[in-house]
């Protein structure tokens, strides 16, 4: 049977349309490539029994096992894993987080990588998250996650946290928001979230600023962009360093001794973050200690031990103020900033803007 010319033309048009649509659908369906960098913590922890939720060993389970435990990841993204470290986060050093930042920057510079998820211990995740927030030189999503219960516990929170972190990293609206911390269905900004409870699952809070968004079933909901300089807009974007300054933290309390400042001077530290009571007040003993440290060229940053609120400037007191950063995060900003300058006006500007 021979077809008329117009029937052949119609068939050929339908065929071309079918091929184009199939190609477009395949393009649209290509899942994002998210790299999971594993560093240890409770999410990779193992206890002796399913009931053990304290005293277990953090940083045991490898990245492949973490990924295999969540087969649902493949519905969300094309994931690949890398084991960067496998350790408890209280042992994480500044040179290790600098190496992690370099790895994240190298991955995000690749056109075949759409985002990075980092698994980490909850104890110091806020420090690593803020370091990355200041040093990652990309708009692509960087999401950190963790868990409060080890992988062996009943109702372990790690698998769902990992799935939700990948959901956030794979979301088209996640770009340009700085480094995010995802646990317990919530999305926190690295600049603001802090661990607020020793053992509770909903430990990560931002008392003044709240969460940036949340995960509701399969949906990722964002409410705001953090209004602080981060990632590509940070003064420290892409920064790499072989030697980091030595910045320590001291705390103020009734009867606090000034000799801790002398110990810091003897150790040749570069900076001291002082977490004072209330709005960052300083006892007369610590004030004298600070003056001795400043006379030796040590930079002082004052913050509050209260856990929220801004530390106001005070002409009676020495040092730069940490804005609303808590002491561990103020230490992170100071150790990056001291690699560029010791000028206190510049340092103060950075503390008010980052
Ligand atoms: C750690 O920070 O490595 C241990 C604690 C945790 O992950 O919850």
């Amino acid at each position: 049977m021979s077809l008329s010319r117009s029937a052949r033309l119609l068939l050929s048009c339908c065929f071309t349309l079918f091929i184009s649509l199939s190609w477009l659908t395949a393009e649209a369906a290509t899942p994002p490539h998210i790299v999971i960098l594993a560093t240890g913590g409770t999410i990779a922890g193992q206890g002796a029994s399913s009931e053990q939720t304290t005293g277990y060993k953090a940083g045991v389970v490898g990245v492949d096992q973490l990924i295999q435990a969540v087969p649902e990841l493949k519905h969300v993204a094309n994931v690949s894993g890398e084991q960067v470290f496998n350790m408890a986060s209280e042992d994480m050093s500044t040179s290790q987080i600098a190496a992690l930042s370099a790895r994240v920057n190298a991955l995000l510079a690749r056109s075949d990588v759409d985002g990075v998820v980092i698994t980490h211990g909850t104890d110091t995740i806020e420090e690593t998250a803020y370091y990355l927030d200041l040093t990652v030189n990309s708009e692509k999503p960087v999401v950190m996650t963790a868990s409060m219960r080890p992988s062996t516990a009943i109702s372990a929170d790690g698998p769902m946290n990992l799935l939700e972190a990948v959901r956030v990293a794979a979301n088209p609206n996640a770009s340009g928001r700085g480094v995010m911390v995802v646990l317990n269905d919530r999305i926190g900004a690295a600049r603001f979230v802090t661990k607020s409870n020793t053992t509770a699952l909903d430990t990560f809070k931002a008392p003044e600023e709240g969460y940036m968004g949340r995960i509701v079933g399969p949906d990722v909901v964002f409410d705001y962009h953090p209004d602080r300089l981060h990632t590509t807009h940070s003064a420290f974007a892409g920064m790499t360093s072989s030697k980091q300054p030595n910045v320590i933290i001291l705390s103020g309390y009734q009867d606090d001794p000034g000799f801790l400042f002398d110990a810091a001077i003897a150790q040749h530290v570069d900076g001291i973050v002082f977490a004072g009571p209330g709005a960052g007040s300083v006892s007369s003993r610590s004030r004298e200690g600070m003056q001795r440290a400043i006379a030796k060229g040590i930079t002082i940053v004052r913050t509050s031990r209260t856990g929220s609120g801004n530390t106001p400037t005070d002409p009676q007191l020495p040092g730069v103020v940490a804005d609303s950063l808590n002491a561990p995060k103020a230490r992170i900003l100071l150790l990056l900033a001291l690699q560029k300058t010791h000028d206190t006006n510049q340092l103060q500007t950075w503390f008010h803007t980052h």
Side-chain angles (χ1 to χ4, degrees), residues 249-261 273-278 280-287 290 303-306:
I249 299 174
L250 297 179
S251 190
Y253 49 91
Q254 292 181 346
D255 252 350
D256 56 358
F259 67 71
L260 291 177
F261 287 91
V273 173
F274 184 78
S281 59
V282 185
S283 69
S284 46
R285 296 165 306 283
S286 284
R287 198 176 306 190
M290 278 181 189
T303 182
S304 165
R305 68 176 201 190
T306 59

Side-chain angles (χ1 to χ4, degrees), residues 40-43 56 58-59 87-90 120-125 146-149 195 198:
T42 294
I43 193 166
Y56 52 84
M87 62 193 297
S89 74
E90 64 270 24
H120 196 286
T122 59
D123 287 352
T124 68
I125 194 173
S147 78
M148 291 298 287
R149 291 183 182 146
K195 189 172 184 181
T198 52

Side-chain angles (χ1 to χ4, degrees), residues 12-340:
S12 137
C13 285
C14 286
F15 182 71
T16 311
L17 189 67
F18 173 76
I19 295 292
S20 310
L21 279 176
S22 320
W23 183 80
L24 277 176
T25 318
E27 274 287 290
T30 304
H33 177 200
I34 306 297
V35 180
I36 299 177
L37 299 179
T39 72
T42 294
I43 193 166
Q46 268 184 346
S49 77
S50 57
E51 291 169 58
Q52 193 180 7
T53 55
T54 59
Y56 52 84
K57 189 161 166 35
V60 180
V61 173
V63 66
D64 293 339
Q65 235 179 303
L66 290 180
I67 293 173
Q68 277 158 21
V70 192
E72 297 80 0
L73 288 170
K74 65 175 172 300
H75 304 151
V76 180
N78 170 20
V79 297
S80 54
E82 273 182 41
Q83 193 76 51
V84 186
F85 315 114
N86 209 353
M87 62 193 297
S89 74
E90 64 270 24
D91 281 328
M92 194 89 68
S93 69
T94 310
S95 56
Q96 284 173 310
I97 60 174
L100 180 63
S101 170
R103 184 68 193 128
V104 171
N105 275 325
L107 284 168
L108 295 181
R110 278 170 38 183
S111 59
D112 66 327
V113 174
D114 299 295
V116 166
V117 166
I118 301 163
T119 60
H120 196 286
T122 59
D123 287 352
T124 68
I125 194 173
E126 64 195 89
E127 291 161 67
T128 304
Y130 190 45
Y131 189 98
L132 295 175
D133 200 48
L134 295 170
T135 57
V136 165
N137 194 16
S138 173
E139 299 267 306
K140 292 180 187 174
V142 177
V143 183
M144 298 197 67
T145 193
S147 78
M148 291 298 287
R149 291 183 182 146
S151 65
T152 41
I154 305 170
S155 207
D157 48 330
M160 183 56 95
N161 286 345
L162 182 60
L163 178 63
E164 294 192 340
V166 172
R167 276 197 201 290
V168 173
N171 189 279
N173 294 325
S175 307
R177 291 178 192 270
V179 174
M180 294 167 272
V181 178
V182 168
L183 277 95
N184 208 37
D185 305 338
R186 304 304 196 329
I187 308 166
R191 168 65 173 76
F192 302 129
V193 283
T194 186
K195 189 172 184 181
S196 67
N197 184 288
T198 52
T199 55
L201 261 57
D202 63 341
T203 180
F204 282 92
K205 300 263 159 73
E208 293 292 327
E209 303 84 2
Y211 296 109
M212 193 198 294
R214 67 208 84 90
I215 300 104
V216 187
D219 299 327
V220 175
V221 182
F222 284 111
D223 292 317
Y224 65 80
H225 281 85
D227 193 14
R228 294 288 182 150
L229 299 178
H230 60 71
T231 56
T232 52
H233 299 285
S234 159
F236 315 101
M239 194 155 147
T240 54
S241 43
S242 51
K243 188 173 180 320
Q244 310 267 359
N246 185 4
V247 178
I248 64 154
I249 299 174
L250 297 179
S251 190
Y253 49 91
Q254 292 181 346
D255 252 350
D256 56 358
F259 67 71
L260 291 177
F261 287 91
D262 301 311
I265 293 166
Q267 290 296 317
H268 306 289
V269 305
D270 302 288
I272 299 173
V273 173
F274 184 78
S281 59
V282 185
S283 69
S284 46
R285 296 165 306 283
S286 284
R287 198 176 306 190
E288 286 160 16
M290 278 181 189
Q291 299 292 10
R292 293 195 293 278
I294 289 169
K296 296 284 182 196
I298 296 171
T299 302
I300 302 287
V301 172
R302 289 190 301 105
T303 182
S304 165
R305 68 176 201 190
T306 59
S308 67
N310 279 52
T311 301
T313 48
D314 181 342
Q316 315 290 316
L317 293 176
V320 168
V321 291
D323 196 274
S324 62
L325 289 171
N326 64 19
K329 291 191 203 194
R331 176 183 164 275
I332 294 292
L333 178 49
L334 185 58
L335 67 84
L336 287 168
L338 285 179
Q339 293 173 63
K340 286 183 169 261

